[in-house]
Amino acid sequence: MNMLVAFLHHLAAFTIVSTLLAELVLMYQPFSLASAKSLRAIDAVYGLCAMLIIVLGILRVMYFEKGPEYYLHNPTFMLKMTAFAVVGLLSAYPTIIFLRWGKSLKQNQLPELTPRQAQNIKSILKLELAGVAVILLGAVLMAKGYRF
Ligand code: HEM
């Protein structure tokens, strides 16, 4: 069970990175009905994996790894959780924009995306990817037993 949870945690982590990169690449393509639909679908996968990784993460903290005592008093775990929370908050803006497109997309109409919104989304996706790099640093440090 420990291996399965660890495997699913990695799978969710890699999928999160892949969805962020896919959204960023799509945001640099000419905006179209197809790219708008893809962005919404990819962002839904991102959201699902973020929820899954929280559940799997809690299972690993509480039951499958070094025990809650180790993590809940470890600054590297706190670094990881803080970076995860920041990435989660940052992701709200693109998600809200993509969700607003629902009505237009149902009518097969190109939704509104202002140049300002497009630039904000690109910047936020880059910040999220930088945040995931901090999460990974925290993940490795805590897994290897490093303490500040
Ligand atoms: C985007 C979010 C996340 C990513 C990319 C991520 C990534 C990783 C990686 C790569 C490892 C393996 C580290 C290693 O063995 O060297 C790991 C381990 C772990 N992660 Fe995550 N993780 C994320 C979110 C979370 C969350 C939200 C929690 C807790 C609620 C969590 C708890 C854990 C635990 C307990 C381990 C095992 C560490 C150990 O072996 O002692 N992770 N994570």
Side-chain angles (χ1 to χ4, degrees), residues 9-10 13 16 53-54 57-58 60-61 65-66 71 77 80-81 84 135-136 139-140 142-144:
H9 190 85
H10 279 74
I16 283 175
I53 213 164
I54 292 171
I58 292 170
R60 297 190 83 183
V61 167
E65 299 293 342
K66 303 179 178 66
Y71 297 106
F77 180 71
K80 186 180 178 184
M81 291 304 104
F84 185 68
I135 293 172
L136 291 174
V140 170
M142 73 177 191
K144 306 297 182 250

Short mmCIF file of all heavy atoms in Angstrom, two decimals, residues 9-10 13 16 53-54 57-58 60-61 65-66 71 77 80-81 84 135-136 139-140 142-144, ligand 1:
data_model
loop_
_atom_site.label_atom_id
_atom_site.label_comp_id
_atom_site.label_asym_id
_atom_site.label_seq_id
_atom_site.Cartn_x
_atom_site.Cartn_y
_atom_site.Cartn_z
N HIS A 9 1.29 9.46 -5.67
CA HIS A 9 1.72 10.81 -5.29
C HIS A 9 2.65 11.37 -6.37
O HIS A 9 2.50 12.51 -6.81
CB HIS A 9 2.44 10.74 -3.94
CG HIS A 9 2.72 12.07 -3.33
ND1 HIS A 9 1.81 12.75 -2.57
CD2 HIS A 9 3.83 12.85 -3.34
CE1 HIS A 9 2.32 13.88 -2.15
NE2 HIS A 9 3.55 13.97 -2.60
N HIS A 10 3.59 10.56 -6.82
CA HIS A 10 4.51 10.98 -7.90
C HIS A 10 3.74 11.21 -9.19
O HIS A 10 3.98 12.20 -9.90
CB HIS A 10 5.59 9.93 -8.12
CG HIS A 10 6.72 10.03 -7.13
ND1 HIS A 10 6.58 9.60 -5.83
CD2 HIS A 10 7.98 10.50 -7.25
CE1 HIS A 10 7.72 9.82 -5.19
NE2 HIS A 10 8.58 10.36 -6.01
N ALA A 13 1.97 14.40 -8.97
CA ALA A 13 2.94 15.50 -9.00
C ALA A 13 3.42 15.77 -10.43
O ALA A 13 3.43 16.92 -10.88
CB ALA A 13 4.12 15.17 -8.10
N ILE A 16 0.65 17.35 -12.49
CA ILE A 16 0.49 18.77 -12.18
C ILE A 16 1.51 19.60 -12.97
O ILE A 16 1.16 20.60 -13.61
CB ILE A 16 0.63 19.02 -10.66
CG1 ILE A 16 -0.64 18.58 -9.94
CG2 ILE A 16 0.93 20.49 -10.36
CD1 ILE A 16 -0.58 18.65 -8.44
N ILE A 53 -3.42 14.96 -4.80
CA ILE A 53 -2.10 14.99 -4.16
C ILE A 53 -2.22 15.40 -2.69
O ILE A 53 -1.43 14.97 -1.85
CB ILE A 53 -1.10 15.88 -4.93
CG1 ILE A 53 0.31 15.28 -4.80
CG2 ILE A 53 -1.10 17.32 -4.48
CD1 ILE A 53 1.30 15.82 -5.80
N ILE A 54 -3.23 16.20 -2.37
CA ILE A 54 -3.46 16.56 -0.95
C ILE A 54 -3.88 15.31 -0.16
O ILE A 54 -3.32 15.02 0.90
CB ILE A 54 -4.54 17.66 -0.83
CG1 ILE A 54 -4.02 18.97 -1.41
CG2 ILE A 54 -4.95 17.85 0.63
CD1 ILE A 54 -5.09 20.05 -1.52
N GLY A 57 -0.98 13.00 0.01
CA GLY A 57 0.02 13.59 0.88
C GLY A 57 -0.34 13.40 2.35
O GLY A 57 0.51 13.03 3.16
N ILE A 58 -1.60 13.62 2.69
CA ILE A 58 -2.04 13.44 4.08
C ILE A 58 -1.89 11.97 4.49
O ILE A 58 -1.42 11.67 5.59
CB ILE A 58 -3.50 13.92 4.25
CG1 ILE A 58 -3.56 15.43 4.08
CG2 ILE A 58 -4.07 13.51 5.60
CD1 ILE A 58 -4.96 16.01 3.98
N ARG A 60 0.30 9.91 3.35
CA ARG A 60 1.73 9.64 3.54
C ARG A 60 2.22 10.23 4.87
O ARG A 60 3.00 9.60 5.58
CB ARG A 60 2.54 10.21 2.38
CG ARG A 60 2.21 9.56 1.05
CD ARG A 60 3.18 9.98 -0.02
NE ARG A 60 4.41 9.18 0.03
CZ ARG A 60 5.45 9.39 -0.78
NH1 ARG A 60 5.44 10.40 -1.65
NH2 ARG A 60 6.52 8.60 -0.69
N VAL A 61 1.75 11.44 5.20
CA VAL A 61 2.16 12.09 6.46
C VAL A 61 1.66 11.28 7.65
O VAL A 61 2.41 10.98 8.58
CB VAL A 61 1.61 13.53 6.53
CG1 VAL A 61 1.75 14.09 7.94
CG2 VAL A 61 2.31 14.43 5.54
N GLU A 65 4.78 7.02 5.90
CA GLU A 65 6.21 7.42 5.82
C GLU A 65 6.78 7.56 7.23
O GLU A 65 6.62 6.67 8.04
CB GLU A 65 6.34 8.70 4.98
CG GLU A 65 5.85 8.54 3.54
CD GLU A 65 6.71 7.59 2.71
OE1 GLU A 65 7.85 7.33 3.11
OE2 GLU A 65 6.20 7.09 1.68
N LYS A 66 7.35 8.66 7.53
CA LYS A 66 8.13 8.80 8.77
C LYS A 66 7.27 9.16 9.98
O LYS A 66 7.79 9.40 11.07
CB LYS A 66 9.23 9.84 8.56
CG LYS A 66 10.17 9.50 7.39
CD LYS A 66 11.22 10.56 7.22
CE LYS A 66 12.21 10.26 6.11
NZ LYS A 66 11.62 10.25 4.75
N TYR A 71 7.01 15.09 10.24
CA TYR A 71 6.69 16.13 9.24
C TYR A 71 6.18 17.41 9.90
O TYR A 71 6.58 18.51 9.52
CB TYR A 71 5.65 15.59 8.25
CG TYR A 71 6.16 14.41 7.47
CD1 TYR A 71 5.71 13.12 7.74
CD2 TYR A 71 7.14 14.58 6.50
CE1 TYR A 71 6.21 12.02 7.05
CE2 TYR A 71 7.64 13.49 5.80
CZ TYR A 71 7.17 12.22 6.09
OH TYR A 71 7.68 11.15 5.42
N PHE A 77 9.16 20.45 5.55
CA PHE A 77 7.76 20.12 5.22
C PHE A 77 6.93 21.40 5.17
O PHE A 77 6.10 21.58 4.28
CB PHE A 77 7.18 19.15 6.25
CG PHE A 77 5.75 18.76 5.98
CD1 PHE A 77 5.41 17.95 4.92
CD2 PHE A 77 4.72 19.24 6.79
CE1 PHE A 77 4.09 17.60 4.67
CE2 PHE A 77 3.39 18.90 6.55
CZ PHE A 77 3.09 18.08 5.48
N LYS A 80 7.51 23.17 2.00
CA LYS A 80 6.76 22.51 0.92
C LYS A 80 5.27 22.88 0.97
O LYS A 80 4.68 23.22 -0.05
CB LYS A 80 6.92 20.99 1.04
CG LYS A 80 6.30 20.22 -0.09
CD LYS A 80 6.49 18.73 0.08
CE LYS A 80 5.81 18.01 -1.06
NZ LYS A 80 5.86 16.55 -0.94
N MET A 81 4.69 22.83 2.18
CA MET A 81 3.27 23.14 2.31
C MET A 81 2.98 24.62 2.01
O MET A 81 1.97 24.94 1.40
CB MET A 81 2.78 22.78 3.70
CG MET A 81 2.75 21.28 3.97
SD MET A 81 1.76 20.38 2.74
CE MET A 81 3.05 19.65 1.75
N PHE A 84 3.12 25.03 -1.67
CA PHE A 84 1.92 24.40 -2.24
C PHE A 84 0.72 25.33 -2.09
O PHE A 84 -0.08 25.50 -3.02
CB PHE A 84 1.65 23.06 -1.55
CG PHE A 84 0.51 22.28 -2.15
CD1 PHE A 84 0.60 21.75 -3.42
CD2 PHE A 84 -0.66 22.10 -1.44
CE1 PHE A 84 -0.45 21.05 -3.98
CE2 PHE A 84 -1.72 21.39 -2.00
CZ PHE A 84 -1.61 20.87 -3.26
N ILE A 135 8.43 23.40 -4.11
CA ILE A 135 7.77 22.22 -3.53
C ILE A 135 8.69 21.01 -3.65
O ILE A 135 8.89 20.26 -2.69
CB ILE A 135 6.43 21.93 -4.22
CG1 ILE A 135 5.41 23.02 -3.95
CG2 ILE A 135 5.87 20.57 -3.78
CD1 ILE A 135 4.13 22.89 -4.77
N LEU A 136 9.27 20.83 -4.84
CA LEU A 136 10.14 19.67 -5.07
C LEU A 136 11.39 19.73 -4.20
O LEU A 136 11.83 18.71 -3.67
CB LEU A 136 10.51 19.58 -6.55
CG LEU A 136 9.36 19.20 -7.48
CD1 LEU A 136 9.79 19.29 -8.93
CD2 LEU A 136 8.85 17.80 -7.15
N ALA A 139 10.29 18.74 -0.87
CA ALA A 139 9.96 17.30 -0.87
C ALA A 139 11.22 16.46 -0.70
O ALA A 139 11.27 15.54 0.13
CB ALA A 139 9.27 16.93 -2.18
N VAL A 140 12.26 16.79 -1.47
CA VAL A 140 13.50 16.00 -1.40
C VAL A 140 14.20 16.20 -0.06
O VAL A 140 14.65 15.23 0.57
CB VAL A 140 14.44 16.41 -2.57
CG1 VAL A 140 15.81 15.81 -2.40
CG2 VAL A 140 13.82 15.98 -3.89
N MET A 142 12.92 16.99 2.86
CA MET A 142 12.21 16.30 3.96
C MET A 142 12.32 14.80 3.81
O MET A 142 12.46 14.08 4.80
CB MET A 142 10.76 16.73 4.05
CG MET A 142 9.87 16.20 2.97
SD MET A 142 8.18 16.69 3.20
CE MET A 142 7.41 15.64 1.99
N ALA A 143 12.30 14.30 2.55
CA ALA A 143 12.40 12.85 2.34
C ALA A 143 13.76 12.32 2.77
O ALA A 143 13.87 11.21 3.29
CB ALA A 143 12.16 12.53 0.87
N LYS A 144 14.80 13.14 2.57
CA LYS A 144 16.16 12.70 2.92
C LYS A 144 16.51 13.04 4.37
O LYS A 144 17.67 12.95 4.77
CB LYS A 144 17.18 13.33 1.97
CG LYS A 144 16.90 13.08 0.50
CD LYS A 144 16.96 11.61 0.13
CE LYS A 144 16.72 11.38 -1.34
NZ LYS A 144 15.44 10.72 -1.64
C1 HEM B 1 2.41 19.87 -6.24
C2 HEM B 1 2.43 19.30 -5.06
C3 HEM B 1 3.41 18.23 -4.63
C4 HEM B 1 4.50 17.75 -5.28
C5 HEM B 1 5.07 18.18 -6.63
C6 HEM B 1 5.10 16.73 -4.41
C7 HEM B 1 6.24 16.01 -4.74
C8 HEM B 1 6.79 15.04 -3.93
C9 HEM B 1 7.98 14.26 -4.27
C10 HEM B 1 8.76 14.38 -5.58
C11 HEM B 1 8.23 13.42 -3.24
C12 HEM B 1 9.37 12.37 -3.13
C13 HEM B 1 10.56 12.99 -2.45
C14 HEM B 1 11.69 11.96 -2.35
O1 HEM B 1 11.45 10.81 -2.02
O2 HEM B 1 12.84 12.37 -2.57
C15 HEM B 1 7.21 13.66 -2.25
C16 HEM B 1 7.15 13.01 -1.07
C17 HEM B 1 6.20 13.29 -0.12
N1 HEM B 1 5.19 14.21 -0.18
FE1 HEM B 1 4.73 15.38 -1.74
N2 HEM B 1 4.35 16.61 -3.28
C18 HEM B 1 3.32 17.52 -3.36
C19 HEM B 1 2.33 17.76 -2.46
C20 HEM B 1 2.30 17.16 -1.22
C21 HEM B 1 1.32 17.46 -0.21
C22 HEM B 1 0.18 18.46 -0.38
C23 HEM B 1 1.64 16.70 0.89
C24 HEM B 1 0.98 16.62 2.25
C25 HEM B 1 -0.24 17.00 2.51
C26 HEM B 1 2.82 15.91 0.54
C27 HEM B 1 3.45 14.99 1.36
C28 HEM B 1 4.51 14.18 1.00
C29 HEM B 1 5.12 13.16 1.87
C30 HEM B 1 4.70 12.80 3.27
C31 HEM B 1 6.16 12.59 1.16
C32 HEM B 1 7.12 11.46 1.62
C33 HEM B 1 8.39 12.06 2.09
C34 HEM B 1 9.29 11.02 2.69
O3 HEM B 1 9.71 10.10 1.95
O4 HEM B 1 9.57 11.17 3.87
N3 HEM B 1 3.18 16.21 -0.74
N4 HEM B 1 6.35 14.65 -2.69
#
